[in-house]
Amino acid sequence: KTKVEENGAKAEGEGEKTEEEEKDDKAAQSLLNKLIRSNLVNNTNQVEVLQRDPNSPLYSVKTFEELRLKPQLLQGVYAMGFNRPSKIQETALPMMLAEPPQNLIAQSQSGTGKTAAFVLAMLSHVDPNNKFPQCLCVSPTYELALQTGKVIEQMGKYYPEVQLMYAIRGNKLERGVKIEEQIVIGTPGTVLDWCQKLRFFDPKKIKVFVLDEADVMIATQGHQDQSIRIQRMLPKSCQMLLFSATFEESVWNFATRIIPDPNIIKLKREEETLDTIKQYYVTCNNKEEKFQALCNIYGAITIAQAMIFCHTRKTAGWLAGELSREGHQVALLSGEMQVEQRAAVIDRFRHGKEKVLVTTNVCARGIDVEQVSVVINFDLPVDKDGNPDNETYLHRIGRTGRFGKRGLAINMVDSKFNMNILNRIQEHFNKKIEKLDTDDLDEIE
Ligand code: ADP
């Protein structure tokens, strides 16, 4: 037995991940982020730009008017409540709308306005009088394609001549049909079938090609090759755009293979720090004692909203039950829930309908709930090898500089193994995690 299993750190059904699950996980996370995201993510970093032609002037815009959009589109933009371009849009939009068209690879975290940017570019380049597909967008999954489709519909609200078609499995067209919609959005496999085998549209007439969520895309077996095969059918003059939330080497290799002569835009994720966070730990002997300590903490301090992380679904379920028996309004986020259900739970929590959110590590990965001031690690984050997962620790309790509110983090330690994990986390961040005596809680506010 490995050390991890002995310490019960391995979650049933959440321990080992197959490649297939990893990929579903990525797509699900991305979808979840889209479903719960209602605003732009704040980011104070500078946009890095690498121009294909470094001598050409670099335009960036501060207003949507400067882009000389079609009035119907400007109206759509304002109707969505956008006042000015987001950071990434300031640079990306002029490049995408330039004449002649420029290719672009853009990377920035989810919620920074990439989708809105390429949707605007697609809508701007369409000639509504031509009744055939001119813009093609490929997404990694059916659900993600639908989300992007919704944005196209919203932004194109005052431009009804432009129509949209979903190339997704289940959307069966009669043989011999020619698509008249100007924008096609779909998954790589279906898109490939539609233009190669079934000839529902002519790829040679595509003017704008968008490959969205490249990092999620390449996590799926076959999607990379299918995307490249689609790209090869497009005319040389077609504008090619690729977007990704992350940029590991594999994404980068794929991006440069599929996008010829690109401009490159990057916006680094805002650094998270522990500087404004008071970190504590509590020692206990078992989960019942941890629960008792939690009750003591709740008895002693006023907690507006807290997120509690557990390692397994079983612990999370148990803890949520115990807490609600104590009279707390508890929300539970668990692995067996559908993405939509998870989004609904997070949404209720964000609107303050529940004061406590209990979740497993896996479920809450990559989700920001900014207003939470207290984070409790009922179980410490460890990776699959049983090492401290510092990145997850930071992401759970850290806050980004300028917008960072003061916060409180409490770690529950119930074994030597966990004490060792805690010490290593402390060393890693070089920030003291103080011991808390839950029978005497005067010290924390
Ligand atoms: P990404 O594709 O990078 O995840 P989105 O384009 O989906 O980002 O934008 C994230 C959120 O911000 C969405 O709710 C979107 O409606 C909103 N948004 C996008 N651009 C702007 C803008 N210029 N001003 C205000 N909100 C915006």
Side-chain angles (χ1 to χ4, degrees):
K1 266 196 162 185
T2 65
K3 211 173 181 183
V4 187
E5 281 169 309
E6 271 167 30
N7 286 282
K10 189 168 274 180
E12 66 274 27
E14 295 186 337
E16 298 289 350
K17 287 239 163 204
T18 62
E19 213 167 290
E20 190 70 9
E21 283 170 331
E22 275 294 337
K23 158 222 128 186
D24 285 349
D25 210 45
K26 272 198 164 176
Q29 255 177 53
S30 181
L31 182 60
L32 196 52
N33 264 319
K34 280 187 202 279
L35 293 174
I36 61 176
R37 170 81 47 217
S38 48
N39 294 109
L40 281 169
V41 165
N42 283 316
N43 193 313
T44 52
N45 289 330
Q46 287 291 324
V47 176
E48 294 171 50
V49 184
L50 206 76
Q51 278 185 288
R52 175 184 46 137
D53 174 6
N55 296 322
S56 79
L58 177 65
Y59 295 106
S60 81
V61 291
K62 292 287 176 202
T63 65
F64 284 110
E65 278 82 8
E66 289 170 72
L67 293 165
R68 311 200 174 285
L69 299 166
K70 293 195 176 78
Q72 306 95 305
L73 289 179
L74 195 60
Q75 207 181 346
V77 166
Y78 288 142
M80 287 178 84
F82 301 0
N83 297 322
R84 65 191 72 80
S86 73
K87 210 150 197 181
I88 195 106
Q89 290 165 0
E90 287 179 1
T91 328
L93 283 170
M95 280 180 181
M96 290 194 283
L97 300 177
E99 278 304 333
Q102 300 179 2
N103 293 348
L104 177 69
I105 295 175
Q107 182 261 326
S108 64
Q109 83 199 75
S110 147
T112 45
K114 299 185 297 298
T115 307
F118 72 70
V119 165
L120 198 53
M122 288 201 292
L123 287 168
S124 297
H125 286 300
V126 160
D127 180 346
N129 299 317
N130 288 336
K131 305 291 180 205
F132 55 79
Q134 301 151 47
C135 299
L136 174 62
C137 174
V138 291
S139 288
T141 67
Y142 166 87
E143 291 81 8
L144 288 167
L146 284 184
Q147 289 305 313
T148 304
K150 282 194 191 152
V151 180
I152 300 176
E153 273 161 18
Q154 272 182 297
M155 205 172 273
K157 189 174 161 195
Y158 301 98
Y159 202 12
E161 310 93 288
V162 179
Q163 293 287 310
L164 172 63
M165 177 64 115
Y166 290 98
I168 45 184
R169 100 192 100 66
N171 195 2
K172 299 254 181 292
L173 305 186
E174 265 177 57
R175 274 194 176 271
V177 160
K178 295 287 174 222
I179 295 173
E180 297 188 350
E181 286 79 0
Q182 295 92 345
I183 301 179
V184 173
I185 170 159
T187 47
T190 308
V191 166
L192 197 58
D193 275 354
W194 279 24
C195 47
Q196 210 169 35
K197 212 161 68 203
L198 300 162
R199 300 189 184 279
F200 288 151
F201 68 95
D202 182 0
K204 284 276 171 283
K205 291 186 177 157
I206 298 294
K207 295 194 284 192
V208 183
F209 172 64
V210 176
L211 195 143
D212 192 21
E213 311 240 8
D215 48 354
V216 182
M217 193 72 98
I218 64 165
T220 309
Q221 192 76 38
H223 270 10
Q224 189 160 338
D225 290 341
Q226 285 166 338
S227 302
I228 287 171
R229 280 165 60 199
I230 294 167
Q231 192 264 9
R232 286 201 188 124
M233 289 189 280
L234 306 172
K236 269 219 154 54
S237 60
C238 177
Q239 181 177 38
M240 318 238 173
L241 311 167
L242 179 141
F243 298 87
S244 184
T246 60
F247 238 137
E248 52 268 40
E249 179 132 326
S250 53
V251 182
W252 180 244
N253 289 341
F254 172 59
T256 46
R257 245 182 99 191
I258 199 163
I259 309 293
D261 303 322
N263 291 319
I264 297 164
I265 297 182
K266 283 189 208 178
L267 179 60
K268 283 218 182 73
R269 218 190 154 86
E270 184 105 359
E271 294 256 350
E272 288 162 318
T273 81
L274 299 175
D275 290 349
T276 53
I277 311 297
K278 283 219 148 231
Q279 303 176 77
Y280 293 101
Y281 75 93
V282 182
T283 50
C284 311
N285 291 307
N286 49 47
K287 72 173 196 287
E288 285 76 19
E289 277 189 31
K290 290 203 242 179
F291 174 65
Q292 197 48 54
L294 195 56
C295 291
N296 291 352
I297 291 166
Y298 261 99
I301 59 172
T302 318
I303 299 178
Q305 273 197 313
M307 268 177 100
I308 307 180
F309 291 91
C310 302
H311 197 74
T312 67
R313 286 180 202 175
K314 208 169 132 198
T315 310
W318 170 80
L319 183 60
E322 295 293 303
L323 281 167
S324 64
R325 217 160 301 143
E326 286 283 314
H328 294 284
Q329 300 158 276
V330 187
L332 175 65
L333 201 62
S334 180
E336 63 269 16
M337 290 175 162
Q338 299 288 319
V339 176
E340 287 76 11
Q341 283 178 300
R342 290 191 220 175
V345 169
I346 294 169
D347 213 51
R348 285 178 55 83
F349 180 67
R350 289 178 8 143
H351 286 99
K353 300 231 170 64
E354 279 94 15
K355 307 292 175 219
V356 192
L357 180 67
V358 179
T359 176
T360 58
N361 301 341
V362 173
C363 250
R365 205 189 286 158
I367 296 166
D368 305 308
V369 183
E370 289 100 351
Q371 84 272 21
V372 174
S373 57
V374 179
V375 173
I376 294 163
N377 286 322
F378 200 77
D379 297 303
L380 295 172
V382 288
D383 67 17
K384 62 183 191 311
D385 302 318
N387 290 313
D389 185 346
N390 294 315
E391 199 187 324
T392 299
Y393 184 86
L394 178 64
H395 188 61
R396 275 184 197 171
I397 72 176
R399 291 291 178 264
T400 55
R402 215 172 62 156
F403 309 97
K405 293 197 227 90
R406 286 169 53 73
L408 186 65
I410 300 171
N411 298 289
M412 308 240 155
V413 175
D414 64 355
S415 63
K416 275 199 180 125
F417 174 83
N418 279 318
M419 197 61 226
N420 174 265
I421 297 283
L422 187 90
N423 285 330
R424 284 161 71 190
I425 290 174
Q426 183 171 252
E427 268 166 47
H428 177 86
F429 293 108
N430 193 21
K431 273 217 76 198
K432 184 119 182 89
I433 305 178
E434 265 163 276
K435 183 165 170 147
L436 192 64
D437 177 0
T438 51
D439 295 325
D440 175 19
L441 283 164
D442 294 341
E443 51 206 295
I444 55 173
E445 60 265 41

